[in-house]
């Protein structure tokens, strides 16, 4: 049965990718992006777990693969969800170009400042091996450069003067530095997608179909190499890059079944079923508390009082399993932990949000929707790789700051707005 589930995932991914490349503009839409991340990130691990029986039971493997199938189906079906006319109307309003530029530049500057502060702050870890302390606050705020870069690039494409160009190049610094120095997967995706989506929204430029398919294959080969790249970047031995073998690394990962996020997810799902300790959404609340309530400012006691603890089982006690600190809970696991198999509906809800943002950004030319879409899309991949809760907290973070800029830049409907009208 696990092999059948893996085959279903592969076929669904092919269907989603095929749907995307059938019309080039679809490669920026949720079903194609999620199909690509499923086949690049999850399928090799699923094959590895089928070939290497390291899980405590076959049933544990079947559960995680069935949940994966359901989540992917929801991603594909999200394209058929209804539009929200009231939401579309609320997203489309006029903005003052000068104020929008000021807001985008402010976000880029804040991202730069907090990035430098993070690099100069000592790393501290909690009992679970997670980053904590001031560095986490600074590192989070450093991601303000993402919407800042998006805003400035959209303005520059509309009005390419020297001031706009210089500000846009400045906003590029932090993403490029993170890519080169730390090999951050999300930053790589965000940087590439920001440029690609800005060109699409402004000029309707789309890459060739073959390039889109090659991008998915490239992601499959590169994801297992990230750990090796980070080690090389930390040591400064850049000449070692030439010794990296992506095909061999992928084959080794599939053959060894070592430190797999999907194994971690399977054990979390199995433990949840055994103990009946479902979160019913409380896990999402805990992530928001962990992300947005600074214990350094408000006190550890206050933060702990807000944190709820729906699960108290131990994977060490149940399975003698201690996850590598570098492993993160996948969206397959955390959605199941909260709502059992009904957790797959979280992916349907995400797809509904992206569908409406896409309609608003392309057909209505709403600048707010374009900025939110650019900011959200890279994080949507984290719904699979890092968890739907992490994805939710990222969306909350970007929404707070992007809306703050847009409210500052908002102007009466009678004034001329910075528009990006869709083209047929």
């Amino acid at each position: 049965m696990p092999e059948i589930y893996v085959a279903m995932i592969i076929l669904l991914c092919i269907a989603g990718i095929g749907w995307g490349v059938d019309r080039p503009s679809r490669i920026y839409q949720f079903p194609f992006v999620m199909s690509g991340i499923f086949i690049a990130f999850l399928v090799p691990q699923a094959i590895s777990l089928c070939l290497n029986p390291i899980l405590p039971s076959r049933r544990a493997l079947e559960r995680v693969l069935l949940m994966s199938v359901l989540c992917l189906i929801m991603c594909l079906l999200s394209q058929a969800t209804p539009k929200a006319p009231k939401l579309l109307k609320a997203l489309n309003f006029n903005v003052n170009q000068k104020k929008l530029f000021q807001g985008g530049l402010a976000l880029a500057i804040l991202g730069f400042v907090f990035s430098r502060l993070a690099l100069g702050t000592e790393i501290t870890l909690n009992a679970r091996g997670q980053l904590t302390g001031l560095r986490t606050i600074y590192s989070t705020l450093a991601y303000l450069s993402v919407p800042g870069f998006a805003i400035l690039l959209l303005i520059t494409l509309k009005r390419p003067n020297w001031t706009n160009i210089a500000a846009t190049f400045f906003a590029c610094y932090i993403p490029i530095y993170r890519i080169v120095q730390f090999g951050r997967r999300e930053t790589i995706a965000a940087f590439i997608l920001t440029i690609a989506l800005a060109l699409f929204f402004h000029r309707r430029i789309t890459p060739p179909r073959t390039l889109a398919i090659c991008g998915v294959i490239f992601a499959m080969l590169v994801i297992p190499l990230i750990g090796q790249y980070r080690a090389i970047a930390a040591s400064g031995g850049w000449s070692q890059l030439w010794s990296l073998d992506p095909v061999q690394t992928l084959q080794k990962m599939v053959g060894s079944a070592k430190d797999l996020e999907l194994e971690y997810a399977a054990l979390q799902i199995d433990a949840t079923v055994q103990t009946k300790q479902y979160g019913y959404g409380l896990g999402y609340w805990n992530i928001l508390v962990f992300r947005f309530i600074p214990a350094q400012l408000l006190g550890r006691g206050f933060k702990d009082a807000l944190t709820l603890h729906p699960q108290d089982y131990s994977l060490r006690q149940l399975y003698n399993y201690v996850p590598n600190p570098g492993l993160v809970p996948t969206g397959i696991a955390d959605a199941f932990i909260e709502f059992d198999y009904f957790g797959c509906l979280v992916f349907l809800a995400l797809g509904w949000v992206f569908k409406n943002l896409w309609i608003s950004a392309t057909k209505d030319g709403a600048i707010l929707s374009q900025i939110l879409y650019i900011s959200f899309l890279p994080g949507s991949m984290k719904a699979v790789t890092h968890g739907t809760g992490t994805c939710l907290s990222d969306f909350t973070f970007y929404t707070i700051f992007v809306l703050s800029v847009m409210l500052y830049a908002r102007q009466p409907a009678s004034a001329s707005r910075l528009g990006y009208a869709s083209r047929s």
Side-chain angles (χ1 to χ4, degrees):
M1 196 65 177
E3 293 78 10
I4 295 176
Y5 289 142
V6 173
M8 290 175 66
I9 295 171
I10 293 173
L11 290 175
L12 288 168
C13 287
I14 292 173
I17 293 171
W19 173 86
V21 297
D22 180 60
R23 189 178 301 170
S25 64
R26 290 176 176 173
I27 67 170
Y28 298 127
Q29 295 184 50
F30 188 74
F32 176 86
V33 172
M34 298 307 283
S35 297
I37 198 65
F38 263 83
I39 200 166
F41 173 79
L42 190 139
V43 167
Q45 296 190 39
I47 294 173
S48 180
L49 289 178
C50 287
L51 295 177
N52 303 277
I54 60 175
L55 290 172
S57 69
R58 191 173 178 86
R59 182 59 179 156
L61 177 58
E62 290 176 349
R63 284 196 187 99
V64 73
L65 293 179
L66 174 57
M67 184 63 178
S68 301
V69 170
L70 293 175
C71 291
L72 182 53
I73 289 174
M74 292 301 106
C75 292
L76 300 181
L77 289 180
S78 66
Q79 195 61 22
T81 54
K83 295 188 295 184
K86 291 183 179 179
L87 175 62
L88 295 176
K89 183 178 179 180
L91 289 169
N92 192 16
F93 55 82
N94 300 340
V95 296
N96 180 283
Q97 182 185 3
K98 183 178 179 180
K99 288 186 175 181
L100 183 62
F101 173 83
Q102 292 170 350
L105 183 59
L107 293 180
I109 292 172
L110 287 172
F112 175 82
V113 170
F114 284 112
S115 177
R116 305 313 296 177
L117 287 172
L119 292 173
T121 304
E122 182 181 359
I123 295 176
T124 55
L125 303 174
N126 62 18
R128 291 175 291 176
Q130 296 172 308
L131 280 174
T132 187
L134 276 175
R135 180 152 182 155
T136 58
I137 299 174
Y138 294 152
S139 296
T140 297
L141 292 172
Y143 280 98
L144 290 174
S145 59
V146 173
F149 177 42
I151 292 170
L152 294 172
L153 181 57
L154 285 168
I155 291 175
T156 299
L157 289 173
K158 184 71 175 179
R159 293 179 174 85
N161 57 51
W162 287 111
T163 301
N164 293 343
I165 293 172
T168 303
F169 272 105
F170 167 75
C172 287
Y173 172 78
I174 293 303
I176 292 175
Y177 180 83
R178 282 177 170 267
I179 291 169
V180 174
Q181 193 64 30
F182 303 112
R184 299 294 185 190
R185 288 177 295 189
E186 182 189 1
T187 307
I188 296 171
F191 185 73
I192 294 173
L193 287 173
T194 297
I195 296 173
L197 282 166
L199 290 172
F200 176 77
F201 290 143
H202 183 63
R203 296 287 187 184
R204 292 298 188 265
I205 296 175
T206 56
R209 293 179 174 86
T210 53
L211 183 61
I213 296 173
C214 288
V216 174
I217 298 172
F218 178 77
M220 183 183 296
L221 295 173
V222 166
I223 287 174
L225 286 175
I226 293 296
Q228 296 179 49
Y229 177 85
R230 289 174 181 169
I232 291 172
S235 66
W238 297 105
S239 60
Q240 299 176 46
L241 288 175
W242 300 108
S243 64
L244 294 178
D245 188 332
V247 175
Q248 184 180 35
T249 302
L250 179 62
Q251 290 175 340
K252 183 178 179 181
M253 185 269 285
V254 172
S256 65
K258 183 180 179 182
D259 292 334
L260 299 179
E261 281 87 355
L262 199 61
E263 177 194 5
Y264 185 23
L267 295 177
Q268 288 180 301
I269 289 173
D270 193 65
T272 301
V273 172
Q274 286 191 41
T275 62
K276 306 298 182 184
Q277 296 184 39
Y278 293 95
Y280 301 110
L282 296 182
Y284 294 144
W285 168 258
N286 288 341
I287 289 175
L288 292 176
V289 170
F290 177 80
R291 182 82 176 266
F292 296 109
I293 304 298
Q296 296 81 3
L297 300 178
L298 300 177
R300 174 57 59 184
F302 177 75
K303 185 169 185 174
D304 289 343
L306 291 176
T307 304
L308 305 173
H309 301 280
Q311 291 99 11
D312 60 6
Y313 56 77
S314 168
L315 295 182
R316 181 196 289 269
Q317 294 177 357
L318 290 173
Y319 308 106
N320 193 29
Y321 175 81
V322 180
N324 185 312
L327 292 179
V328 289
T330 65
I332 306 303
D334 75 348
F336 186 97
I337 290 170
E338 298 302 319
F339 306 111
D340 201 85
Y341 288 114
F342 290 104
C344 67
L345 296 176
V346 174
F347 286 85
L348 184 68
L350 285 174
W352 177 82
V353 171
F354 275 99
K355 177 180 178 178
N356 282 278
L357 283 177
W358 179 261
I359 293 171
S360 178
T362 54
K363 293 186 178 180
D364 299 337
I367 184 66
L368 171 59
S369 299
Q370 293 175 0
I371 296 167
L372 287 176
Y373 199 92
I374 291 172
S375 301
F376 286 178
L377 193 60
S380 70
M381 302 179 193
K382 293 172 72 174
V384 178
T385 61
H386 288 66
T388 55
T390 300
C391 178
L392 172 64
S393 67
D394 283 353
F395 287 6
T396 303
F397 171 78
Y398 287 129
T399 299
I400 291 171
F401 287 95
V402 170
L403 278 181
S404 298
V405 169
M406 298 305 293
L407 289 174
Y408 167 72
R410 188 169 185 169
Q411 68 179 13
S414 58
S416 60
R417 70 185 180 93
L418 176 63
Y420 299 87
S422 62
R423 298 188 181 114
S424 58

